[in-house]
């Protein structure tokens, strides 16, 4: 009621935030969602929204309400430019868990389009791991080639194997070399792929 009596004011905004916190404290999920939606409608520029949406996404995930979690992460990404890449990558990860490969691919690409380098690498690794599962070598190259300048080992290892499968040893060797140069940050999986790929290239040149 206090928020309704003081619309579009700092006092009204604070009242809604307090109502949200109070509802969360007593576990009133319906009221928590309502307060968050009301705050977003009335105060779309509120600095409290990013934290609220992240909190709601965590709550929804813990309750196995994954559709709600993805929705809140998507909203959080819209109002939190600084963390947008990381949040989108997290949303894509949930979409992968739900078997929504096409949506996850799009979300990973949206995350990879952001400037935050470390989080962008996380998104690119997720994208590479995803497309390796059910795409042909040509499709993998088509999807990952726009990011071939990235040093991300998971991406380079899978891009290298796709080039190898397509008979392009030169591009494959370039990709595998990027994995081996960054072996301190590479996973055992990506290193294994790179070493296997290099061995295959060596074998083919000796034949």
């Amino acid at each position: 009621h206090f928020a309704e009596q003081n619309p579009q004011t700092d006092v009204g905004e604070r009242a809604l935030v307090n109502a949200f916190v109070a509802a969360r404290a007593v576990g009133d999920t319906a009221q928590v969602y309502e307060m968050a939606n009301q705050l977003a409608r009335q105060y779309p520029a509120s600095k409290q929204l990013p934290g609220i949406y992240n909190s709601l996404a965590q709550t929804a995930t813990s309750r196995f309400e994954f559709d709600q979690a993805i929705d809140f992460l998507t909203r959080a990404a819209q109002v939190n430019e600084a963390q947008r890449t990381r949040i989108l990558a997290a949303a894509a990860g949930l979409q992968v868990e739900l078997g929504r490969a096409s949506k996850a691919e799009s979300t990973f690409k949206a995350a990879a389009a952001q400037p935050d380098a470390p989080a962008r690498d996380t998104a690119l690794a997720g994208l590479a791991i995803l497309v390796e599962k059910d795409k042909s070598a040509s499709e993998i190259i088509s999807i990952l080639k726009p990011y071939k300048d990235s040093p991300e080992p998971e991406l380079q290892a899978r891009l290298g194997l796709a080039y190898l499968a397509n008979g392009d040893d030169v591009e494959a060797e370039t990709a595998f070399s990027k994995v081996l140069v960054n072996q301190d940050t590479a996973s055992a999986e990506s290193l294994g792929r790179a070493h296997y790929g290099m061995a295959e290239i060596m074998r083919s040149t000796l034949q």
Side-chain angles (χ1 to χ4, degrees):
H1 293 298
F2 192 80
E4 293 171 3
Q5 292 166 5
N6 297 272
Q8 304 304 315
T9 65
D10 289 345
V11 174
E13 178 185 355
R14 200 153 53 244
L16 281 176
V17 172
N18 289 340
F20 168 85
V21 172
R24 189 175 59 180
V26 298
D28 187 344
T29 306
Q31 182 72 355
V32 164
Y33 290 165
E34 174 54 33
M35 289 301 99
N37 287 331
Q38 200 170 327
L39 184 68
R41 281 196 307 270
Q42 295 181 19
Y43 302 93
S46 172
K47 293 180 180 178
Q48 302 299 321
L49 279 176
I52 285 175
Y53 282 145
N54 275 331
S55 170
L56 289 176
Q58 291 171 5
T59 299
T61 301
S62 69
R63 292 164 60 93
F64 303 104
E65 297 172 346
F66 297 119
D67 284 320
Q68 283 275 29
I70 291 168
D71 179 52
F72 286 128
L73 285 171
T74 302
R75 293 197 208 180
Q78 291 171 352
V79 297
N80 191 346
E81 185 175 353
Q83 297 291 321
R84 186 169 294 155
T85 315
R86 181 188 61 77
I87 295 168
L88 286 172
L94 280 179
Q95 289 167 333
V96 170
E97 293 294 326
L98 294 174
R100 299 172 185 169
S102 179
K103 285 188 175 180
E105 183 182 328
S106 296
T107 308
F108 276 133
K109 286 178 178 177
Q114 305 301 318
D116 181 354
R120 182 174 184 266
D121 284 346
T122 300
L124 288 176
L127 177 63
I129 292 167
L130 172 68
V131 300
E132 183 188 44
K133 292 176 182 175
D134 61 357
K135 300 289 188 185
S136 69
S138 295
E139 288 172 324
I140 292 171
I141 292 169
S142 176
I143 293 167
L144 299 184
K145 191 175 179 180
Y147 315 107
K148 73 174 188 175
D149 291 336
S150 167
E152 215 303 307
E154 302 292 348
L155 180 143
Q156 292 297 343
R158 287 158 176 82
L159 184 57
L161 286 180
Y163 278 127
L164 191 65
N166 266 17
D168 191 339
D169 288 0
V170 174
E171 289 289 356
E173 184 174 358
T174 299
F176 294 138
S177 296
K178 288 181 181 178
V179 179
L180 299 177
V181 164
N182 293 291
Q183 61 182 337
D184 290 344
T185 59
S187 69
E189 281 192 356
S190 59
L191 282 172
R193 285 169 168 79
H195 284 302
Y196 163 78
M198 284 298 207
E200 284 295 300
I201 293 170
M202 182 70 71
R203 188 174 63 82
S204 69
T205 58
L206 294 174
Q207 287 178 346

